Amino acid sequence: MNVKIGRPINIEIDHLSRVEGHGDIRIRIENGKLVECTWKVVETPRFFEVMFKGLSIEMAPLLAARICGICSISHALASARAIERALKIEIPEPAQKVRLLAKHAETLQSHTLHLFFLVAPDFLDVDSVIPLIQTHPQVVETAARIKGFANRASDLFAGRTTHPMVIKVGGSTQVPRKRQLKELVKDLDATIPYLWKALDLFKSFRMPDFARETEFVSLRGTEEYPFIGGNLVSSDGICKKEDEYRAMTNEYVVDFSTSKFSRLSRESFAVGALARFNNNYDLLHPKAKETAEELNLKLGEHNPFFYNLAQLVECFHVMYESKEIILSLIDSAISEFASHYRVKGCEGVGAVEAPRGILYHYYRIGEDGKIEKSDCVIPTSQNHVNIYYDLHKQVEELIGQGKGEEEIRNLSQMLVRAYDPCISCSVH
């Protein structure tokens, strides 16, 4: 492959901007050939798995939530679910619905943050969202309206905008009153038009033309688009039980990353919105399917830039499904929202679809109700190696197309951002 610009290209991006955490990109091209192309995670490990050791099971979901400021609800849910599955605790139906609503609020929070504050500036040719306040105030208003609703929903269902206090082993510490639910429905109805404005915006963006076929891993829903628990599936035909998560993740270490990597059937696999979309399309809300059609997002898509569009499709899913769940809660008795349980020595796994992909928590619990061993496998750590190989293939293609340094630099950054990596989470 030849580069039309004959001079060497040496791209060193230390701490890629507009992602959560610290990751570096290294690209070196000499004599028209790719010599080095690396996605490096340089964030310092945080050792949360050690912090769980000796902790009471009641405290575990609270500590788990501190692993991440963006997907804290997912961590609390995965933690509680691991303990509840170990102790065979059945959660009352109202608590199950409130947990799913909290999960939906987090998904909307996270996807909106990524799409408008991290991704949109690339397509509007600015360095951050700040200049858009002057040049595209309607875009910023749309983002603020949707994010604001998501925060209020999180406050109601999780007790806080982030770091939830309501999720406890056995159910919830409280559930919203029906008056609060009715007020939130009005708020939701007033926010939905802004979601359609977001659709118009992202329909105007042209995603870069790139694809690398990969394996997609996610939860597999049976009757509903999956967010909390269930079987694990891959687009290559592998299906495992939740307890068999290690056979799906196969973590290993490399010398240039402080985060572990994962693989399954191939050299890499991908998790997250596009994986969920490809593995569970038939279970999406009709309005989400309508959105996918408008965005020309089709089943079996392998362009990683379409993660952005799959996230927007999921925004529609969680908004419209949230309204249906809230209305069902208003029409039902919600006085029972926690189950009693007895502590014993046991172990369990909880799998949850965090915004960036499937998240696992595992605990071994002693007879005294304290955690003896823990293991957390994070979505971004599962995506790192897929990002690595995507980046390599994209740069090789750009060299072949004769692209210059600036375009290679910009598209490489956009590619990593498309995965919405939460790097701090990945070095938990």
Side-chain angles (χ1 to χ4, degrees):
M1 296 182 180
N2 298 316
V3 180
K4 290 180 180 178
I5 300 174
R7 63 179 178 81
I9 292 178
N10 190 24
I11 297 173
E12 295 186 357
I13 300 170
D14 288 337
H15 298 179
L16 172 65
S17 65
R18 281 186 276 132
V19 296
E20 203 291 320
H22 295 158
D24 300 344
I25 295 174
R26 293 282 186 274
I27 298 171
R28 190 156 54 92
I29 302 166
E30 295 178 357
N31 300 317
K33 292 185 178 179
L34 184 58
V35 176
E36 179 187 5
C37 182
T38 309
W39 164 239
K40 301 171 62 175
V41 174
V42 296
E43 185 103 8
T44 304
R46 298 156 66 208
F47 305 112
F48 264 88
E49 285 153 331
V50 177
M51 295 183 216
F52 281 112
K53 195 172 180 180
L55 197 69
S56 70
I57 56 173
E58 289 81 9
M59 292 298 294
L62 297 174
L63 177 63
R66 269 64 184 177
I67 293 175
C68 184
I70 301 173
C71 47
S72 57
I73 291 174
S74 290
H75 278 286
L77 288 172
S79 176
R81 180 174 172 81
I83 296 164
E84 289 156 357
R85 292 188 74 239
L87 295 173
K88 303 188 186 314
I89 303 170
E90 292 292 331
I91 307 303
E93 186 176 347
Q96 290 181 29
K97 290 183 176 180
V98 170
R99 285 184 176 190
L100 183 55
L101 286 165
K103 183 76 201 65
H104 281 1
E106 177 191 72
T107 300
L108 191 63
Q109 281 180 318
S110 181
H111 285 357
T112 305
L113 172 67
H114 179 239
L115 291 171
F116 283 92
F117 293 82
L118 309 182
V119 170
D122 283 324
F123 292 91
L124 296 171
D125 199 26
V126 291
D127 291 332
S128 77
V129 72
I130 301 301
L132 300 181
I133 296 171
Q134 296 296 326
T135 61
H136 297 76
Q138 73 284 4
V139 171
V140 178
E141 182 191 7
T142 299
R145 293 282 186 173
I146 299 171
K147 187 74 165 58
F149 168 78
N151 289 349
R152 291 188 291 277
S154 181
D155 290 342
L156 186 60
F157 297 121
R160 283 181 175 176
T161 302
T162 188
H163 297 157
M165 300 297 290
V166 169
I167 299 163
K168 66 171 236 176
V169 175
S172 301
T173 58
Q174 63 182 45
V175 292
R177 296 177 179 176
K178 293 190 177 184
R179 173 183 54 79
Q180 294 173 300
L181 295 172
K182 290 174 182 176
E183 289 173 357
L184 194 73
V185 169
K186 294 178 185 176
D187 194 355
L188 186 151
D189 285 338
T191 305
I192 280 181
Y194 290 95
L195 207 52
W196 289 96
K197 289 184 179 180
L199 174 60
D200 289 338
L201 175 67
F202 278 81
K203 279 167 62 178
S204 70
F205 294 162
R206 183 181 176 189
M207 295 298 130
D209 183 17
F210 168 74
R212 185 180 70 88
E213 189 176 327
T214 193
E215 182 175 17
F216 290 111
V217 174
S218 72
L219 290 174
R220 173 59 181 161
T222 51
E223 297 179 357
E224 298 174 343
Y225 196 76
F227 284 100
I228 303 175
N231 285 342
L232 321 173
V233 296
S234 91
S235 54
D236 282 1
I238 296 175
C239 183
K240 300 284 185 186
K241 299 292 185 185
E242 207 166 337
D243 292 335
E244 301 174 293
Y245 75 102
R246 286 194 181 94
M248 292 294 278
T249 52
N250 303 298
E251 289 186 305
Y252 63 100
V253 296
V254 294
D255 60 6
F256 56 85
S257 171
T258 54
S259 170
K260 292 178 180 175
F261 280 19
S262 287
R263 61 184 164 221
L264 185 55
S265 307
R266 313 182 186 198
E267 60 191 1
S268 67
F269 66 85
V271 299
L274 192 57
R276 289 189 291 265
F277 176 90
N278 279 327
N279 289 344
N280 296 282
Y281 172 83
D282 54 322
L283 297 172
L284 279 167
H285 191 281
K287 290 293 184 184
K289 289 181 179 177
E290 181 183 335
T291 305
E293 189 172 343
E294 293 248 7
L295 292 166
N296 199 30
L297 173 57
K298 300 182 186 305
L299 192 62
E301 179 61 60
H302 284 272
N303 182 342
F305 291 98
F306 277 55
Y307 264 95
N308 302 321
L309 306 185
Q311 285 191 344
L312 185 56
V313 168
E314 287 192 336
C315 288
F316 276 80
H317 177 88
V318 299
M319 280 288 274
Y320 279 95
E321 188 174 81
S322 290
K323 183 174 180 178
E324 295 171 1
I325 298 171
I326 294 169
L327 292 176
S328 74
L329 276 173
I330 291 172
D331 291 337
S332 62
I334 53 176
S335 56
E336 186 183 1
F337 45 85
S339 300
H340 296 288
Y341 57 88
R342 295 183 64 182
V343 173
K344 61 180 181 180
C346 52
E347 61 182 356
V349 177
V352 167
E353 282 286 355
R356 292 159 188 79
I358 192 164
L359 163 70
Y360 307 95
H361 277 233
Y362 158 84
Y363 303 122
R364 189 178 71 210
I365 302 166
E367 295 288 347
D368 59 356
K370 293 185 177 178
I371 293 173
E372 296 178 342
K373 182 180 179 182
S374 72
D375 184 27
C376 304
V377 182
I378 309 299
T380 295
S381 69
Q382 297 168 71
N383 273 336
H384 279 317
V385 68
N386 213 62
I387 294 171
Y388 177 90
Y389 284 110
D390 272 4
L391 194 60
H392 199 280
K393 184 172 188 285
Q394 181 181 251
V395 173
E396 282 200 322
E397 289 186 2
L398 293 172
I399 293 171
Q401 295 163 12
K403 304 297 184 183
E405 178 173 345
E406 183 177 355
E407 193 161 358
I408 293 173
R409 175 187 290 272
N410 290 340
L411 285 169
S412 297
Q413 295 179 86
M414 288 173 65
L415 173 63
V416 178
R417 284 193 196 106
Y419 280 90
D420 192 12
C422 188
I423 299 167
S424 300
C425 246
S426 73
V427 296
H428 56 286

